[in-house]
mmCIF file with all atom_site columns, all heavy atoms in Angstrom:
data_model
loop_
_atom_site.group_PDB
_atom_site.id
_atom_site.type_symbol
_atom_site.label_atom_id
_atom_site.label_alt_id
_atom_site.label_comp_id
_atom_site.label_asym_id
_atom_site.label_entity_id
_atom_site.label_seq_id
_atom_site.pdbx_PDB_ins_code
_atom_site.Cartn_x
_atom_site.Cartn_y
_atom_site.Cartn_z
_atom_site.occupancy
_atom_site.B_iso_or_equiv
_atom_site.pdbx_formal_charge
_atom_site.auth_seq_id
_atom_site.auth_comp_id
_atom_site.auth_asym_id
_atom_site.auth_atom_id
_atom_site.pdbx_PDB_model_num
ATOM 1   N N   . TYR A 1 72  ? 94.875  100.215 106.471 1.00 0.00 ? 972  TYR A N   1
ATOM 2   C CA  . TYR A 1 72  ? 95.555  100.175 107.772 1.00 0.00 ? 972  TYR A CA  1
ATOM 3   C C   . TYR A 1 72  ? 95.896  101.592 108.232 1.00 0.00 ? 972  TYR A C   1
ATOM 4   O O   . TYR A 1 72  ? 95.642  101.958 109.383 1.00 0.00 ? 972  TYR A O   1
ATOM 5   C CB  . TYR A 1 72  ? 96.827  99.334  107.674 1.00 0.00 ? 972  TYR A CB  1
ATOM 6   C CG  . TYR A 1 72  ? 97.748  99.506  108.860 1.00 0.00 ? 972  TYR A CG  1
ATOM 7   C CD1 . TYR A 1 72  ? 97.432  98.936  110.089 1.00 0.00 ? 972  TYR A CD1 1
ATOM 8   C CD2 . TYR A 1 72  ? 98.919  100.247 108.765 1.00 0.00 ? 972  TYR A CD2 1
ATOM 9   C CE1 . TYR A 1 72  ? 98.257  99.106  111.186 1.00 0.00 ? 972  TYR A CE1 1
ATOM 10  C CE2 . TYR A 1 72  ? 99.758  100.410 109.845 1.00 0.00 ? 972  TYR A CE2 1
ATOM 11  C CZ  . TYR A 1 72  ? 99.417  99.840  111.055 1.00 0.00 ? 972  TYR A CZ  1
ATOM 12  O OH  . TYR A 1 72  ? 100.245 100.011 112.136 1.00 0.00 ? 972  TYR A OH  1
ATOM 13  N N   . LYS A 1 83  ? 91.960  105.344 122.549 1.00 0.00 ? 983  LYS A N   1
ATOM 14  C CA  . LYS A 1 83  ? 92.287  103.980 122.119 1.00 0.00 ? 983  LYS A CA  1
ATOM 15  C C   . LYS A 1 83  ? 93.748  103.874 121.691 1.00 0.00 ? 983  LYS A C   1
ATOM 16  O O   . LYS A 1 83  ? 94.395  102.856 121.909 1.00 0.00 ? 983  LYS A O   1
ATOM 17  C CB  . LYS A 1 83  ? 91.391  103.544 120.957 1.00 0.00 ? 983  LYS A CB  1
ATOM 18  C CG  . LYS A 1 83  ? 90.062  102.995 121.382 1.00 0.00 ? 983  LYS A CG  1
ATOM 19  C CD  . LYS A 1 83  ? 89.376  102.361 120.186 1.00 0.00 ? 983  LYS A CD  1
ATOM 20  C CE  . LYS A 1 83  ? 88.128  101.649 120.610 1.00 0.00 ? 983  LYS A CE  1
ATOM 21  N NZ  . LYS A 1 83  ? 87.480  100.975 119.486 1.00 0.00 ? 983  LYS A NZ  1
ATOM 22  N N   . PHE A 1 88  ? 99.724  98.323  124.937 1.00 0.00 ? 988  PHE A N   1
ATOM 23  C CA  . PHE A 1 88  ? 99.873  97.265  123.938 1.00 0.00 ? 988  PHE A CA  1
ATOM 24  C C   . PHE A 1 88  ? 99.195  97.600  122.611 1.00 0.00 ? 988  PHE A C   1
ATOM 25  O O   . PHE A 1 88  ? 99.214  96.805  121.696 1.00 0.00 ? 988  PHE A O   1
ATOM 26  C CB  . PHE A 1 88  ? 99.346  95.911  124.447 1.00 0.00 ? 988  PHE A CB  1
ATOM 27  C CG  . PHE A 1 88  ? 99.900  95.517  125.781 1.00 0.00 ? 988  PHE A CG  1
ATOM 28  C CD1 . PHE A 1 88  ? 99.095  95.429  126.892 1.00 0.00 ? 988  PHE A CD1 1
ATOM 29  C CD2 . PHE A 1 88  ? 101.260 95.256  125.914 1.00 0.00 ? 988  PHE A CD2 1
ATOM 30  C CE1 . PHE A 1 88  ? 99.604  95.066  128.117 1.00 0.00 ? 988  PHE A CE1 1
ATOM 31  C CE2 . PHE A 1 88  ? 101.779 94.899  127.136 1.00 0.00 ? 988  PHE A CE2 1
ATOM 32  C CZ  . PHE A 1 88  ? 100.962 94.801  128.252 1.00 0.00 ? 988  PHE A CZ  1
ATOM 33  N N   . GLY A 1 89  ? 98.574  98.741  122.484 1.00 0.00 ? 989  GLY A N   1
ATOM 34  C CA  . GLY A 1 89  ? 97.985  99.178  121.216 1.00 0.00 ? 989  GLY A CA  1
ATOM 35  C C   . GLY A 1 89  ? 97.129  98.124  120.555 1.00 0.00 ? 989  GLY A C   1
ATOM 36  O O   . GLY A 1 89  ? 97.365  97.762  119.411 1.00 0.00 ? 989  GLY A O   1
ATOM 37  N N   . ARG A 1 90  ? 96.136  97.597  121.270 1.00 0.00 ? 990  ARG A N   1
ATOM 38  C CA  . ARG A 1 90  ? 95.327  96.489  120.750 1.00 0.00 ? 990  ARG A CA  1
ATOM 39  C C   . ARG A 1 90  ? 94.639  96.819  119.438 1.00 0.00 ? 990  ARG A C   1
ATOM 40  O O   . ARG A 1 90  ? 94.611  96.001  118.526 1.00 0.00 ? 990  ARG A O   1
ATOM 41  C CB  . ARG A 1 90  ? 94.306  96.058  121.796 1.00 0.00 ? 990  ARG A CB  1
ATOM 42  C CG  . ARG A 1 90  ? 94.952  95.391  122.975 1.00 0.00 ? 990  ARG A CG  1
ATOM 43  C CD  . ARG A 1 90  ? 93.921  94.909  123.956 1.00 0.00 ? 990  ARG A CD  1
ATOM 44  N NE  . ARG A 1 90  ? 94.600  94.375  125.116 1.00 0.00 ? 990  ARG A NE  1
ATOM 45  C CZ  . ARG A 1 90  ? 94.122  94.407  126.337 1.00 0.00 ? 990  ARG A CZ  1
ATOM 46  N NH1 . ARG A 1 90  ? 92.946  94.961  126.569 1.00 0.00 ? 990  ARG A NH1 1
ATOM 47  N NH2 . ARG A 1 90  ? 94.801  93.903  127.344 1.00 0.00 ? 990  ARG A NH2 1
ATOM 48  N N   . SER A 1 91  ? 94.044  97.992  119.334 1.00 0.00 ? 991  SER A N   1
ATOM 49  C CA  . SER A 1 91  ? 93.350  98.364  118.103 1.00 0.00 ? 991  SER A CA  1
ATOM 50  C C   . SER A 1 91  ? 94.331  98.474  116.942 1.00 0.00 ? 991  SER A C   1
ATOM 51  O O   . SER A 1 91  ? 94.052  98.034  115.834 1.00 0.00 ? 991  SER A O   1
ATOM 52  C CB  . SER A 1 91  ? 92.613  99.692  118.281 1.00 0.00 ? 991  SER A CB  1
ATOM 53  O OG  . SER A 1 91  ? 91.564  99.543  119.211 1.00 0.00 ? 991  SER A OG  1
ATOM 54  N N   . LYS A 1 92  ? 95.468  99.051  117.216 1.00 0.00 ? 992  LYS A N   1
ATOM 55  C CA  . LYS A 1 92  ? 96.493  99.193  116.191 1.00 0.00 ? 992  LYS A CA  1
ATOM 56  C C   . LYS A 1 92  ? 97.026  97.813  115.784 1.00 0.00 ? 992  LYS A C   1
ATOM 57  O O   . LYS A 1 92  ? 97.212  97.544  114.605 1.00 0.00 ? 992  LYS A O   1
ATOM 58  C CB  . LYS A 1 92  ? 97.630  100.081 116.713 1.00 0.00 ? 992  LYS A CB  1
ATOM 59  C CG  . LYS A 1 92  ? 98.588  100.525 115.656 1.00 0.00 ? 992  LYS A CG  1
ATOM 60  C CD  . LYS A 1 92  ? 99.569  101.523 116.241 1.00 0.00 ? 992  LYS A CD  1
ATOM 61  C CE  . LYS A 1 92  ? 100.524 102.032 115.202 1.00 0.00 ? 992  LYS A CE  1
ATOM 62  N NZ  . LYS A 1 92  ? 101.480 102.994 115.732 1.00 0.00 ? 992  LYS A NZ  1
ATOM 63  N N   . ALA A 1 93  ? 97.227  96.951  116.768 1.00 0.00 ? 993  ALA A N   1
ATOM 64  C CA  . ALA A 1 93  ? 97.723  95.603  116.484 1.00 0.00 ? 993  ALA A CA  1
ATOM 65  C C   . ALA A 1 93  ? 96.702  94.816  115.660 1.00 0.00 ? 993  ALA A C   1
ATOM 66  O O   . ALA A 1 93  ? 97.068  94.077  114.747 1.00 0.00 ? 993  ALA A O   1
ATOM 67  C CB  . ALA A 1 93  ? 98.031  94.865  117.779 1.00 0.00 ? 993  ALA A CB  1
ATOM 68  N N   . ARG A 1 94  ? 95.418  94.991  115.975 1.00 0.00 ? 994  ARG A N   1
ATOM 69  C CA  . ARG A 1 94  ? 94.370  94.302  115.226 1.00 0.00 ? 994  ARG A CA  1
ATOM 70  C C   . ARG A 1 94  ? 94.365  94.777  113.775 1.00 0.00 ? 994  ARG A C   1
ATOM 71  O O   . ARG A 1 94  ? 94.264  93.976  112.847 1.00 0.00 ? 994  ARG A O   1
ATOM 72  C CB  . ARG A 1 94  ? 93.002  94.540  115.856 1.00 0.00 ? 994  ARG A CB  1
ATOM 73  C CG  . ARG A 1 94  ? 91.906  93.726  115.194 1.00 0.00 ? 994  ARG A CG  1
ATOM 74  C CD  . ARG A 1 94  ? 90.544  93.885  115.839 1.00 0.00 ? 994  ARG A CD  1
ATOM 75  N NE  . ARG A 1 94  ? 90.585  93.843  117.290 1.00 0.00 ? 994  ARG A NE  1
ATOM 76  C CZ  . ARG A 1 94  ? 90.052  94.791  118.080 1.00 0.00 ? 994  ARG A CZ  1
ATOM 77  N NH1 . ARG A 1 94  ? 89.416  95.806  117.564 1.00 0.00 ? 994  ARG A NH1 1
ATOM 78  N NH2 . ARG A 1 94  ? 90.141  94.700  119.399 1.00 0.00 ? 994  ARG A NH2 1
ATOM 79  N N   . SER A 1 95  ? 94.508  96.069  113.589 1.00 0.00 ? 995  SER A N   1
ATOM 80  C CA  . SER A 1 95  ? 94.562  96.627  112.233 1.00 0.00 ? 995  SER A CA  1
ATOM 81  C C   . SER A 1 95  ? 95.782  96.105  111.478 1.00 0.00 ? 995  SER A C   1
ATOM 82  O O   . SER A 1 95  ? 95.701  95.790  110.289 1.00 0.00 ? 995  SER A O   1
ATOM 83  C CB  . SER A 1 95  ? 94.602  98.152  112.280 1.00 0.00 ? 995  SER A CB  1
ATOM 84  O OG  . SER A 1 95  ? 93.405  98.665  112.815 1.00 0.00 ? 995  SER A OG  1
ATOM 85  N N   . GLN A 1 96  ? 96.901  96.005  112.191 1.00 0.00 ? 996  GLN A N   1
ATOM 86  C CA  . GLN A 1 96  ? 98.131  95.487  111.580 1.00 0.00 ? 996  GLN A CA  1
ATOM 87  C C   . GLN A 1 96  ? 97.939  94.030  111.158 1.00 0.00 ? 996  GLN A C   1
ATOM 88  O O   . GLN A 1 96  ? 98.353  93.629  110.065 1.00 0.00 ? 996  GLN A O   1
ATOM 89  C CB  . GLN A 1 96  ? 99.310  95.607  112.554 1.00 0.00 ? 996  GLN A CB  1
ATOM 90  C CG  . GLN A 1 96  ? 100.618 95.063  112.026 1.00 0.00 ? 996  GLN A CG  1
ATOM 91  C CD  . GLN A 1 96  ? 101.216 95.885  110.910 1.00 0.00 ? 996  GLN A CD  1
ATOM 92  O OE1 . GLN A 1 96  ? 100.909 97.063  110.753 1.00 0.00 ? 996  GLN A OE1 1
ATOM 93  N NE2 . GLN A 1 96  ? 102.034 95.277  110.102 1.00 0.00 ? 996  GLN A NE2 1
ATOM 94  N N   . LYS A 1 97  ? 97.288  93.219  111.996 1.00 0.00 ? 997  LYS A N   1
ATOM 95  C CA  . LYS A 1 97  ? 97.038  91.813  111.666 1.00 0.00 ? 997  LYS A CA  1
ATOM 96  C C   . LYS A 1 97  ? 96.106  91.695  110.465 1.00 0.00 ? 997  LYS A C   1
ATOM 97  O O   . LYS A 1 97  ? 96.298  90.833  109.608 1.00 0.00 ? 997  LYS A O   1
ATOM 98  C CB  . LYS A 1 97  ? 96.452  91.071  112.862 1.00 0.00 ? 997  LYS A CB  1
ATOM 99  C CG  . LYS A 1 97  ? 97.464  90.769  113.934 1.00 0.00 ? 997  LYS A CG  1
ATOM 100 C CD  . LYS A 1 97  ? 96.844  89.993  115.069 1.00 0.00 ? 997  LYS A CD  1
ATOM 101 C CE  . LYS A 1 97  ? 97.862  89.767  116.165 1.00 0.00 ? 997  LYS A CE  1
ATOM 102 N NZ  . LYS A 1 97  ? 97.300  89.030  117.301 1.00 0.00 ? 997  LYS A NZ  1
ATOM 103 N N   . GLU A 1 98  ? 95.111  92.546  110.392 1.00 0.00 ? 998  GLU A N   1
ATOM 104 C CA  . GLU A 1 98  ? 94.200  92.533  109.246 1.00 0.00 ? 998  GLU A CA  1
ATOM 105 C C   . GLU A 1 98  ? 94.957  92.880  107.964 1.00 0.00 ? 998  GLU A C   1
ATOM 106 O O   . GLU A 1 98  ? 94.746  92.254  106.923 1.00 0.00 ? 998  GLU A O   1
ATOM 107 C CB  . GLU A 1 98  ? 93.050  93.516  109.465 1.00 0.00 ? 998  GLU A CB  1
ATOM 108 C CG  . GLU A 1 98  ? 92.062  93.055  110.522 1.00 0.00 ? 998  GLU A CG  1
ATOM 109 C CD  . GLU A 1 98  ? 91.010  94.107  110.848 1.00 0.00 ? 998  GLU A CD  1
ATOM 110 O OE1 . GLU A 1 98  ? 90.952  95.145  110.152 1.00 0.00 ? 998  GLU A OE1 1
ATOM 111 O OE2 . GLU A 1 98  ? 90.258  93.894  111.802 1.00 0.00 ? 998  GLU A OE2 1
ATOM 112 N N   . LYS A 1 99  ? 95.845  93.864  108.049 1.00 0.00 ? 999  LYS A N   1
ATOM 113 C CA  . LYS A 1 99  ? 96.646  94.251  106.890 1.00 0.00 ? 999  LYS A CA  1
ATOM 114 C C   . LYS A 1 99  ? 97.526  93.076  106.451 1.00 0.00 ? 999  LYS A C   1
ATOM 115 O O   . LYS A 1 99  ? 97.581  92.742  105.266 1.00 0.00 ? 999  LYS A O   1
ATOM 116 C CB  . LYS A 1 99  ? 97.519  95.455  107.226 1.00 0.00 ? 999  LYS A CB  1
ATOM 117 C CG  . LYS A 1 99  ? 98.481  95.834  106.121 1.00 0.00 ? 999  LYS A CG  1
ATOM 118 C CD  . LYS A 1 99  ? 99.473  96.876  106.574 1.00 0.00 ? 999  LYS A CD  1
ATOM 119 C CE  . LYS A 1 99  ? 100.604 96.979  105.588 1.00 0.00 ? 999  LYS A CE  1
ATOM 120 N NZ  . LYS A 1 99  ? 101.757 97.657  106.125 1.00 0.00 ? 999  LYS A NZ  1
ATOM 121 N N   . GLN A 1 100 ? 98.192  92.437  107.406 1.00 0.00 ? 1000 GLN A N   1
ATOM 122 C CA  . GLN A 1 100 ? 99.053  91.301  107.093 1.00 0.00 ? 1000 GLN A CA  1
ATOM 123 C C   . GLN A 1 100 ? 98.249  90.164  106.479 1.00 0.00 ? 1000 GLN A C   1
ATOM 124 O O   . GLN A 1 100 ? 98.697  89.503  105.540 1.00 0.00 ? 1000 GLN A O   1
ATOM 125 C CB  . GLN A 1 100 ? 99.789  90.824  108.341 1.00 0.00 ? 1000 GLN A CB  1
ATOM 126 C CG  . GLN A 1 100 ? 100.870 91.769  108.797 1.00 0.00 ? 1000 GLN A CG  1
ATOM 127 C CD  . GLN A 1 100 ? 101.489 91.345  110.127 1.00 0.00 ? 1000 GLN A CD  1
ATOM 128 O OE1 . GLN A 1 100 ? 100.937 90.534  110.856 1.00 0.00 ? 1000 GLN A OE1 1
ATOM 129 N NE2 . GLN A 1 100 ? 102.649 91.912  110.426 1.00 0.00 ? 1000 GLN A NE2 1
#
Side-chain angles (χ1 to χ4, degrees):
Y972 166 74
K983 276 191 173 183
F988 309 114
R990 291 183 185 149
S991 293
K992 192 173 182 180
R994 186 177 316 127
S995 295
Q996 178 70 22
K997 285 182 183 179
E998 289 173 8
K999 174 189 166 197
Q1000 288 174 344

